[in-house]
Amino acid sequence: MDINSQSHEKQHAITIWEVNRDRLTAMQHKLSDTPKLLSVAAGRTTCSIFKVPQTLMNVNGKSYQPTIVSIGPFHHGQLHLEMIEEHKWRFLRELLDRTEDKGMVLEDLLRAVQPLEVMARECYSTTIPYSTDEFIEMMVLDGCFIIELFRKISEVVKADDFDPLFNMPWVFSFFLRDLIRLENQIPFFVLEHLFELTKTPNSPTLVTLALRFFNKAVQRPEHVLEKYSNDKPKHLLDLLRSSFLPPELEQFTKPDNRPPPHIIHNISKLRRSGIKLKPWEAETFLVVNFKHGVIHMPSITIDDFMCVFLLNSVAYEQCHSGCSKVFTTYATLLDCLINTSRDVGLLCDWNIIENYLGTEAEVATFFNNMGKDVSFDIDDCYLARLFDNVNRHYHSGFHVQWASFRYTYFNTTWSFISALAAFVLLVLTVAQTVYTILSYIRSS
């Protein structure tokens, strides 16, 4: 390229940017902007409240969206949530009426939360568009509503005998679900701060009150809840999720000479290889093991609440950088075991699943969808040893062939009768052949 040509191109480029000066200015502004839809703080362990990824929303969108009550900024002000928004102010007024004798007024609550604003904002994965005053008001209003709700359910304070939020069963069932949705959270340290400021005499801890509240949906013995009374969770979903984690998660280290674990087959194929599934007692449904050809799984109740809980726990694990992937692993296990409604039927027959969701086909669809588009490392999960051992047993030679033979010919009465009839027919055919040969030999 000659010098004149280079000079012409340079002049042409300068002319373009001189003509589009506004565009250049706009680009320079973007260079100084910080991401808002996914903030830089979202990758830190301090960030714990996330917008659910669109890939998960496309499959199970309704399970992540609040139905009657908005908590925190993500769904604040939506029209279909206004009914409970009015009752939040009623709950706050009742709380202030109780604390007025102690000199605690609304301004005191606002001033107490103000120093927590920056730390609270950093808990959200997106930039919060509300002003300082709006954000603090939201934290106080939503936090006090949750605390008062827990106190009234546990009868720490008396509720109105005709309070519609407690006398209408459908409202309470949606409270249970809405308060564990990932997008519908406020930081637990905000709740705890407000709880301590307005604490009533002889009250259990906030963690205990919260777990008692959710125990209305997942009944567990009181001694199980007491183990977590001093926990410091990130938010309510994290609290409930943590209370189900096995006390000691098995650490799996794959030996160098062993191939990596593989995803296991569905129930129908495992049965044909002689692998069985049996229920067993455990404090949490996450404790699954495999011994002597049997997968032991605690019973799990599948209903509307549990579906929301499982989906939001998986979404939380997918988003939070410092969170173990235990629920994701469990969801992957069930997705592997269940392919069709027939697999669900077997789990129900064996008392591993209690189905209050709908048809067996709907349960199968739920578990198959729960495993879609989730990141899962089978080499580094708490069930890695189970996946490895089940696969080795599945491919371990003669006993598998014998189990398949038994399953094919002796699994049901009719298959046994058919096999017996075929065997008898074979014996008679052989006998007839032998008799014919002997007759021929004698005659000759």
Side-chain angles (χ1 to χ4, degrees):
M1 182 180 293
D2 58 29
I3 297 176
N4 291 335
S5 176
Q6 290 179 349
S7 176
H8 175 72
E9 287 189 4
K10 184 176 181 181
Q11 184 179 4
H12 180 64
I14 293 173
T15 303
I16 290 176
W17 289 115
E18 286 177 349
V19 171
N20 295 281
R21 180 61 60 182
D22 292 341
R23 183 67 176 174
L24 180 60
T25 302
M27 291 178 67
Q28 289 173 337
H29 281 305
K30 288 182 179 180
L31 288 173
S32 61
D33 286 344
T34 56
K36 295 180 175 62
L37 298 180
L38 184 64
S39 68
V40 177
R44 301 171 188 162
T45 56
T46 52
C47 181
S48 60
I49 305 170
F50 303 86
K51 281 282 191 179
V52 175
Q54 191 60 45
T55 53
L56 300 182
M57 291 288 291
N58 291 340
V59 181
N60 302 295
K62 291 184 178 179
S63 296
Y64 309 111
Q65 307 293 318
T67 307
I68 64 170
V69 59
S70 166
I71 301 296
F74 286 160
H75 298 276
H76 182 72
Q78 293 184 0
L79 291 177
H80 72 286
L81 305 174
E82 284 187 346
M83 180 184 74
I84 301 302
E85 199 70 21
E86 297 174 349
H87 286 275
K88 288 180 184 178
W89 291 102
R90 176 172 66 86
F91 273 40
L92 180 57
R93 184 178 67 247
E94 292 173 358
L95 184 151
L96 291 171
D97 287 344
R98 285 202 320 274
T99 60
E100 189 176 7
D101 294 341
K102 302 176 184 177
M104 176 71 67
V105 295
L106 179 59
E107 290 85 351
D108 295 324
L109 297 178
L110 296 171
R111 289 194 194 98
V113 171
Q114 186 174 7
L116 306 177
E117 180 197 358
V118 173
M119 190 164 55
R121 284 181 182 270
E122 290 179 350
C123 292
Y124 293 93
S125 64
T126 68
T127 299
I128 306 303
Y130 298 104
S131 68
T132 292
D133 290 343
E134 291 171 328
F135 185 78
I136 292 174
E137 176 187 310
M138 185 192 309
M139 292 292 107
V140 170
L141 183 63
D142 291 355
C144 288
F145 172 74
I146 292 172
I147 292 168
E148 283 295 280
L149 182 64
F150 291 169
R151 285 170 173 161
K152 291 181 178 184
I153 290 299
S154 290
E155 299 182 351
V156 174
V157 299
K158 184 170 173 29
D160 187 337
D161 293 337
F162 301 101
D163 192 324
L165 301 190
F166 302 112
N167 285 349
M168 302 171 69
W170 72 270
V171 173
F172 183 72
S173 65
F174 280 111
F175 277 158
L176 286 166
R177 281 173 257 168
D178 279 356
L179 292 185
I180 57 168
R181 302 187 200 270
L182 177 57
E183 295 186 355
N184 215 35
Q185 303 293 320
I186 61 174
F188 198 83
F189 60 78
V190 173
L191 285 175
E192 191 119 58
H193 198 62
L194 291 169
F195 179 79
E196 293 299 326
L197 285 172
T198 61
K199 196 169 184 179
T200 55
N202 303 317
S203 171
T205 66
L206 178 57
V207 167
T208 299
L209 291 179
L211 290 176
R212 283 181 184 175
F213 174 80
F214 292 118
N215 217 34
K216 303 292 183 182
V218 282
Q219 288 81 20
R220 292 182 290 173
E222 187 72 21
H223 71 86
V224 175
L225 308 185
E226 291 174 356
K227 294 180 181 179
Y228 307 94
S229 60
N230 296 316
D231 276 18
K232 299 294 181 183
K234 305 285 188 182
H235 42 66
L236 292 178
L237 172 61
D238 183 46
L239 170 62
L240 186 61
R241 172 190 164 278
S242 299
S243 72
F244 277 92
L245 297 182
E248 294 182 4
L249 296 179
E250 181 181 9
Q251 298 298 316
F252 177 72
T253 303
K254 181 177 70 67
D256 294 335
N257 59 348
R258 181 179 295 179
H262 295 285
I263 296 297
I264 63 177
H265 294 283
N266 66 356
I267 292 171
S268 299
K269 288 186 177 180
L270 293 180
R271 286 184 72 207
R272 285 195 289 271
S273 69
I275 295 175
K276 300 177 182 179
L277 281 86
K278 291 184 179 180
W280 75 313
E281 293 294 327
E283 286 190 358
T284 167
F285 56 78
L286 296 169
V287 180
V288 185
N289 64 38
F290 178 72
K291 291 181 181 179
H292 309 300
V294 179
I295 300 175
H296 298 276
M297 296 185 68
S299 176
I300 180 173
T301 299
I302 301 301
D303 55 15
D304 292 330
F305 178 85
M306 184 56 70
C307 288
V308 171
F309 176 46
L310 290 175
L311 287 169
N312 281 272
S313 294
V314 170
Y316 176 53
E317 292 180 353
Q318 292 293 297
C319 295
H320 193 269
S321 60
C323 187
S324 63
K325 305 298 184 286
V326 175
F327 275 78
T328 303
T329 303
Y330 182 78
T332 303
L333 171 66
L334 288 173
D335 187 24
C336 292
L337 293 176
I338 295 172
N339 272 359
T340 65
S341 58
R342 186 168 181 270
D343 295 324
V344 175
L346 290 172
L347 289 175
C348 292
D349 292 342
W350 297 333
N351 297 318
I352 294 174
I353 285 181
E354 293 183 38
N355 178 18
Y356 295 100
L357 182 65
T359 64
E360 292 171 353
E362 288 174 317
V363 176
T365 300
F366 166 74
F367 282 119
N368 294 154
N369 286 340
M370 187 167 59
K372 287 182 179 178
D373 294 321
V374 296
S375 175
F376 169 70
D377 185 359
I378 194 171
D379 288 324
D380 186 25
C381 71
Y382 86 105
L383 291 179
R385 193 176 300 280
L386 179 140
F387 283 113
D388 183 53
N389 290 338
V390 169
N391 271 300
R392 289 167 60 206
H393 189 92
Y394 183 85
H395 297 288
S396 59
F398 173 76
H399 82 275
V400 173
Q401 303 300 325
W402 170 241
S404 179
F405 176 80
R406 285 187 304 162
Y407 180 85
T408 303
Y409 297 107
F410 302 101
N411 188 47
T412 66
T413 303
W414 287 111
S415 64
F416 173 74
I417 292 174
S418 298
L420 180 62
F423 177 75
V424 170
L425 181 61
L426 177 63
V427 170
L428 291 175
T429 301
V430 171
Q432 184 180 11
T433 302
V434 172
Y435 179 76
T436 302
I437 293 173
L438 291 175
S439 298
Y440 175 77
I441 293 174
R442 287 172 183 171
S443 61
S444 61

